[in-house]
Amino acid sequence: MSFIGMRARDFLLRLGIPRPGALLIALGLVGAFTIMVGMSAAAVRGACIIAALIIIDLFGRIGNPIRTLLLVGTVMVAISPHVLAFDLGFKLSFAATAGLLLGQPVLAAMLARWWHPRSAVLEELTDLGTSSVAAALATAPILLGAFGALSPLSPLVNIPVLLLVPGIMASGAAVLIVVGIPFIGPAFAWVATACSDALVAIVRWSSEIPGVQIVLAPLHPLAIVATFAVFLAIILLFCLAAFLFICI
């Protein structure tokens, strides 16, 4: 959910769409994706996190996005305290969003030292890759704590999936609009079906690769907290090193 909202926002802004329009479209995509996946309680709470960030940004009050994320998370926990202990979707959405806000810029800066994409397509794929890795690292401790298993290929699989989801939603919306028009309606329906089949095929193929899932012992809650502390320390050290480098 965090991917859909934040990547859609960044991509639309890169296309030159005015910020209010890009944020409204991204907000609509988050809502459409939530409906598409069945509007489960976990999906709705995850959508609320990224939707709140987009809405605050829309009113020009985003300020520090991490502070805003903490505020949104605190409010949701205050309203429904059980989500902090029992709602895996809330924890994954919160961690993924934090990873995108904190970890992705660090990974992108590290990669930029030796990788310089020379086209808009390569630049977009690079952003998707660093975002996918950042979200995977941020959610890995929680997944290990809940299931005791990880999929190292998930950051790679996320890239084509994220490229297909906007096509599925756009073509699906177009079908609803032009459903009664000969040739045009079936054409959009074919695109939506083809994109959906491709997404399912990618997920199925990735799940059937031998050794794709690494099974470990579930992490103790204290180990999860310690892992996040290490991640945060690495990010802070990188930011400090970059600041000192600029000052020197």
Side-chain angles (χ1 to χ4, degrees):
M1 199 67 67
S2 303
F3 261 128
I4 300 300
M6 299 188 70
R7 293 305 309 165
R9 179 200 63 183
D10 295 343
F11 179 71
L12 292 169
L13 289 174
R14 194 175 291 121
L15 289 179
I17 297 176
R19 192 172 192 84
L23 292 172
L24 286 173
I25 294 174
L27 187 63
L29 288 175
V30 170
F33 187 74
T34 306
I35 295 172
M36 189 177 74
V37 299
M39 293 190 67
S40 65
V44 171
R45 291 192 186 98
C48 286
I49 292 176
I50 189 63
L53 288 174
I54 293 175
I55 291 171
I56 293 172
D57 194 3
L58 184 61
F59 285 96
R61 298 179 180 275
I62 192 68
N64 186 327
I66 294 299
R67 185 169 54 196
T68 303
L69 176 62
L70 291 174
L71 175 62
V72 171
T74 302
V75 171
M76 294 185 68
V77 171
I79 294 173
S80 183
H82 76 278
V83 300
L84 194 59
F86 304 109
D87 194 326
L88 184 61
F90 169 79
K91 290 184 282 188
L92 288 174
S93 294
F94 189 91
T97 305
L100 291 172
L101 293 174
L102 284 173
Q104 194 275 338
V106 172
L107 292 175
M110 294 173 64
L111 188 62
R113 295 184 176 184
W114 60 273
W115 169 248
H116 307 284
R118 298 184 178 181
S119 69
V121 174
L122 287 177
E123 184 178 353
E124 180 63 22
L125 290 175
T126 301
D127 287 343
L128 281 174
T130 53
S131 298
S132 183
V133 171
L137 288 174
T139 55
I142 298 174
L143 291 173
L144 277 175
F147 306 110
L150 281 178
S151 177
L153 279 182
S154 61
L156 184 63
V157 175
N158 281 338
I159 296 176
V161 168
L162 289 170
L163 292 174
L164 286 170
V165 167
I168 294 172
M169 292 191 292
S171 55
V175 169
L176 295 177
I177 297 172
V178 300
V179 63
I181 302 177
F183 301 109
I184 299 179
F188 277 110
W190 181 86
V191 172
T193 302
C195 291
S196 300
D197 290 343
L199 189 150
V200 172
I202 290 171
V203 174
R204 184 178 299 161
W205 167 79
S206 64
S207 65
E208 293 175 352
I209 298 176
V212 68
Q213 192 174 55
I214 299 177
V215 179
L216 303 169
L219 280 184
H220 189 275
L222 290 178
I224 296 175
V225 174
T227 305
F228 280 124
V230 171
F231 286 167
L232 185 59
I234 292 173
I235 292 171
L236 291 175
L237 286 173
F238 180 87
C239 293
L240 179 61
F243 175 77
L244 293 175
F245 178 78
I246 293 173
C247 292
I248 294 174

